[in-house]
Amino acid sequence: MKVGSYVVAVVGILAIIAGIVLKVTGQAHGLTTLGAGAVLLILGLVGAFVLKPKAQES
């Protein structure tokens, strides 16, 4: 699941960039996009570096 966590983090970074662009240009939902991107980035980083995958018993 580390790859999925990295994908979520990258999407979060892109959403943060998009939110900043929207905020600077005065478009609606810039702050909302920025906040959603920050949440995705945090979730992705937590998933990649904090959570340990459980060992599967076979």
Side-chain angles (χ1 to χ4, degrees), residues 20-44:
I20 291 171
V21 170
L22 289 174
K23 187 75 175 151
V24 168
T25 58
Q27 301 293 323
H29 306 299
L31 195 57
T32 304
T33 307
L34 189 61
V39 169
L40 288 174
L41 178 61
I42 291 169
L43 287 175

Side-chain angles (χ1 to χ4, degrees), residues 4-29:
S5 297
Y6 290 132
V7 170
V8 170
V10 168
V11 169
I13 291 171
L14 293 176
I16 289 173
I17 293 170
I20 291 171
V21 170
L22 289 174
K23 187 75 175 151
V24 168
T25 58
Q27 301 293 323
H29 306 299

